[in-house]
């Protein structure tokens, strides 16, 4: 416990200042490009004030800001100061917007992208802030979509399969390059000096809680899904040494108390309270992942409820009373979403990211001009044009692997594909084909769960893509099942607020808190007459999916290898040119 002063509290652990009147909690959601804070009333989940802070450095995937040096392909880093600015700016702004008395706030909850691990010293200082290391890329946090550790992930998987490691089945047979072990092994093999200086290999979700409480508590969600913690143990020292002798002691860099979801990680320190304008000593919930934390907010916690959090990527989470292996899933963790159930995770590495890439890089200026003239965004304009045609009129099929494939193939070396273009193909038709591809990718995941004996009974959705009604209807038609949607535009932040209420003692668990504070619109979209035509297109998608993803053709992997080799050669040539 930190040395922060404690507020007087009621028997339930709620500060006395709040016990007499309305109680409130703060939820803070740290996303890929920005962080947001929300003020929520404990009694009913009413959202009273919100604020968003855009990260100054966003995603560092081109050049390292400290030096201007170009990063290799597939890298994605972040700057931890950007996260602290969310505390400094967004929380006070949300409090101001809400008009509440800060003394009525009883707890704070946070969530983060994952896996976004970072190397820190014993006191939690990020290595990128240590003198002499600001110019070393491996000293920075590696964002979830850092895929440059695919070679390490391949070796982790091959060795685990060869040795019959029992934990591999809990992850659908493959560990992702996005996760903690692959990214840490990459540091060891590419910058052993930085690796040697790592005292703790910390998920950003846990580091931000550390900054709030002064205590390092590792949350059970990321430890289980991203850190290969199963049945209380990490992979064995013998296994790690077989990967690389210098990796044998990696567990030492992970060692920390494991906090369960909804538990209190600690209390708010004086310094953190002053930074955010909150009372010191209030409860701070154990950290969580943005997708998993949202389930109670959407009231998607019953066995068989699958929740898709649809944004730059999509994460699919589902609880079940059954433990089984789902091929290509991201993991299954006891209590990984709610206590007492097995929590399953799957996902797609690119959804909104793909559409944003297409609009920014492929859509002709005339479309941008027309959208401005119509007073709407390019995405809205393309959607209106594209869905004016019947299903299949564009004659296209796409594969949604522009950021690699997370589930069910677990391969960052795959890439996007578009088939069927002619000189008559229009920009909006390609846009629709990309949207449909992401829906087909979700159907692959749903069918994988059904085939493994844990069928999806109800489908829920949250995230920024809910704003596109045509997109959501397409998902309902492709899946052939109704979709219920969260009734909040800030699903992860609301979920974090719900966990804060539990940590503060206002509710006994996250399911009860979610029932009182969550918000959902049931069956907001139901399959329509387009469901049958989409079945035909889905069959074409599956043919391409299996051809390029299951070994029928390795052209995507070869092209990525050629690209890496070419760029590495160009960088080497540039480095050899005299200044």
């Amino acid at each position: 416990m930190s040395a922060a002063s404690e507020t007087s509290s009621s028997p339930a652990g709620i500060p006395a200042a709040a016990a007499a009147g309305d109680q409130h909690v703060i939820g803070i959601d740290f996303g890929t490009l920005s962080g947001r804070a929300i003020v929520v009333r404990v009694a009913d989940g009413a959202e009273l004030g919100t604020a968003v802070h855009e990260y100054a450095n966003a995603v560092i995937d081109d050049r390292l800001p400290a030096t201007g040096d170009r990063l290799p392909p597939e890298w994605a880093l972040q700057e931890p100061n950007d996260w602290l600015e969310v505390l400094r700016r967004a929380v006070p702004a949300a409090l101001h917007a809400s008009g509440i008395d800060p003394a009525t706030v009883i707890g704070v909850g946070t969530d983060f992208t994952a896996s976004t691990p970072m190397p820190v010293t014993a006191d939690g200082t990020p290595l990128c802030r240590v003198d002499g290391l600001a110019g070393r890329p491996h000293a920075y946090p590696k964002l979830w979509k850092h895929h440059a550790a695919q070679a390490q992930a391949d070796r982790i998987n091959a060795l685990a399969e060869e040795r019959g490691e029992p934990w591999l089945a809990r992850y659908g047979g493959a560990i992702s390059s996005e996760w903690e072990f692959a990214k840490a092994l990459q540091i060891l093999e590419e910058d052993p000096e930085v690796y040697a200086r790592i005292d703790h290999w910390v998920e950003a979700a846990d580091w931000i809680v550390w900054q709030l409480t002064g205590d390092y508590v590792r949350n059970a969600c990321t430890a289980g899904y991203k850190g290969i913690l199963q049945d209380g143990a990490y992979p064995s020292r013998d296994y790690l040494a077989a990967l690389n002798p210098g990796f044998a002691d990696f567990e030492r860099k992970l060692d920390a108390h494991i906090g369960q979801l909804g538990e209190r990680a600690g209390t708010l320190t004086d310094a953190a309270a002053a930074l955010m304008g909150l009372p010191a000593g209030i409860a701070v919930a154990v950290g969580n992942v943005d997708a998993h934390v949202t389930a109670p907010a959407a009231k998607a916690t019953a066995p068989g409820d699958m929740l898709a959090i649809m944004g730059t990527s999509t994460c699919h989470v589902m609880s079940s009373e059954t433990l089984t292996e789902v091929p290509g899933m991201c993991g299954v963790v006891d209590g990984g979403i709610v206590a007492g159930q097995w929590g399953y995770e799957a996902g797609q590495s690119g959804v909104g990211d793909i559409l944003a890439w297409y609009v920014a890089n492929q859509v002709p200026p005339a479309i941008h001009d027309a959208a401005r003239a119509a007073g709407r965004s390019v995405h809205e304009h393309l959607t209106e044009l594209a869905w004016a045609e019947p299903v299949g009129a564009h004659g296209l099929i796409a594969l949604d692997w522009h950021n690699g494939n997370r589930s069910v193939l677990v391969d960052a070396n795959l890439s996007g594909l578009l088939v069927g273009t002619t000189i008559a193909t229009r920009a909006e038709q390609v846009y629709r084909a990309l949207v449909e591809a992401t829906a087909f990718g979700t159907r692959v995941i749903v069918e994988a769960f059904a085939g493994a004996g844990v069928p999806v009974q109800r489908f829920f959705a949250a995230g920024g893509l809910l704003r596109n009604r045509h997109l959501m209807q397409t998902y309902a038609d492709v899946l052939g099942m109704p979709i219920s949607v969260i009734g909040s535009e800030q699903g992860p932040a609301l979920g974090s607020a719900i966990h804060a209420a539990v940590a503060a003692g206002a509710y006994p668990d996250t399911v009860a808190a979610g029932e009182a504070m969550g918000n959902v619109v049931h069956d907001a979209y139901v399959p329509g007459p387009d469901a049958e035509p989409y079945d035909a297109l889905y069959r074409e998608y599956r043919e391409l999916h299996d051809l390029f993803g299951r070994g029928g053709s390795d052209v995507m992997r070869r092209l990525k290898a050629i690209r890496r080799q070419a760029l590495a050669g160009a960088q080497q040539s540039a480095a050899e040119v005299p200044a």
Side-chain angles (χ1 to χ4, degrees), residues 177-412:
S177 64
E178 297 179 0
W179 299 351
E180 293 178 11
F181 276 66
K183 288 174 175 175
L185 185 57
Q186 184 194 11
I187 297 177
L188 170 64
E189 296 180 342
E190 296 182 5
D191 196 337
E193 181 182 346
V194 166
Y195 182 84
R197 298 181 70 170
I198 300 173
D199 289 312
H200 297 290
W201 182 235
V202 180
E203 282 287 345
D206 300 325
W207 183 80
I208 204 69
V209 171
W210 194 350
Q211 306 314 296
L212 295 175
T213 66
D215 298 319
Y216 175 29
V217 177
R218 187 160 158 77
N219 78 83
C221 185
T222 46
Y225 291 105
K226 316 302 179 184
I228 321 183
L229 180 66
Q230 290 287 348
D231 301 324
Y234 294 105
S236 70
R237 183 182 180 91
D238 286 347
Y239 166 79
L240 298 177
L243 279 173
N244 185 310
F247 208 46
D249 68 343
F250 179 54
E251 182 177 342
R252 178 182 62 80
K253 301 180 188 295
L254 297 175
D255 187 41
H257 170 69
I258 303 295
Q260 300 303 312
L261 305 184
E263 287 183 350
R264 181 184 299 206
T267 56
L268 198 63
T269 65
D270 290 331
L275 182 70
M276 298 188 291
L278 291 172
I282 62 175
V284 177
V286 168
N288 208 332
V289 180
D290 50 5
H292 307 68
V293 80
T294 307
K299 301 187 179 185
T301 55
D305 288 350
M306 175 171 279
L307 171 65
I309 298 83
M310 304 169 63
T312 53
S313 64
T314 291
C315 187
H316 307 78
V317 297
M318 183 175 77
S319 291
S320 175
E321 297 171 342
T322 303
L323 172 62
T324 189
E325 176 185 353
V326 180
M329 67 180 175
C330 297
V332 55
V333 175
D334 187 8
I337 302 170
V338 295
Q341 296 187 49
W342 291 97
Y344 289 85
E345 178 189 341
Q348 294 166 267
S349 295
V351 181
D353 259 1
I354 297 173
L355 304 180
W357 158 80
Y358 179 69
V359 166
N361 296 284
Q362 305 296 320
V363 174
I367 295 289
H368 288 265
D369 293 341
R372 279 193 295 270
R376 55 194 180 196
S377 72
V378 179
H379 291 278
E380 292 169 332
H381 187 67
L382 289 170
T383 298
E384 290 300 318
L385 294 175
W387 271 264
E389 293 185 323
V391 175
H394 51 43
L396 304 172
I397 286 287
L399 291 178
D400 51 318
W401 300 343
H402 299 66
N403 250 347
N405 180 282
R406 186 181 297 163
S407 297
V408 296
L409 301 171
V410 198
D411 192 346

Side-chain angles (χ1 to χ4, degrees), residues 396-566:
L396 304 172
I397 286 287
L399 291 178
D400 51 318
W401 300 343
H402 299 66
N403 250 347
N405 180 282
R406 186 181 297 163
S407 297
V408 296
L409 301 171
V410 198
D411 192 346
N413 278 324
L414 296 173
S415 53
L417 180 72
L418 182 66
V419 174
T421 57
T422 71
I423 58 173
T425 301
R426 300 188 303 277
E428 66 269 17
Q429 294 176 319
V430 176
Y431 186 86
R432 179 169 179 170
L434 293 173
V435 168
E436 292 167 347
T438 68
F440 295 147
T442 290
R443 180 167 168 177
V444 170
I445 292 168
V446 170
E447 290 180 351
F449 275 84
V454 280
V456 177
Q457 304 290 348
R458 298 191 300 173
F459 196 92
F460 295 74
L465 295 185
L466 268 60
R467 300 186 189 98
N468 188 326
R469 296 186 60 83
H470 285 292
L471 179 149
M472 294 306 303
Q473 183 60 51
T474 296
Y475 271 65
D477 291 335
V478 168
L479 293 174
M481 61 191 310
I483 297 178
S484 301
V485 301
I486 192 170
S488 170
E489 293 186 0
Q490 305 291 352
L494 177 58
S496 288
I498 288 171
H499 282 72
V502 175
Y507 292 96
D509 54 51
T510 57
V511 174
E515 285 302 310
M517 300 174 65
N519 194 338
V520 65
V521 179
H522 286 290
D523 298 345
Y525 298 91
V526 297
D530 286 342
E532 185 175 348
Y534 272 128
D535 283 341
L537 283 182
Y538 178 66
R539 288 192 291 271
E540 305 299 336
Y541 175 91
R542 283 305 302 258
E543 181 174 331
L544 294 175
H545 175 281
D546 293 344
L547 173 65
F548 290 99
R550 300 192 185 277
S553 173
D554 282 333
V555 63
M556 292 178 177
R557 301 176 183 89
R558 294 196 301 270
L559 287 173
K560 281 211 169 181
I562 291 170
R563 177 176 182 263
R564 286 192 292 268
Q565 187 176 29

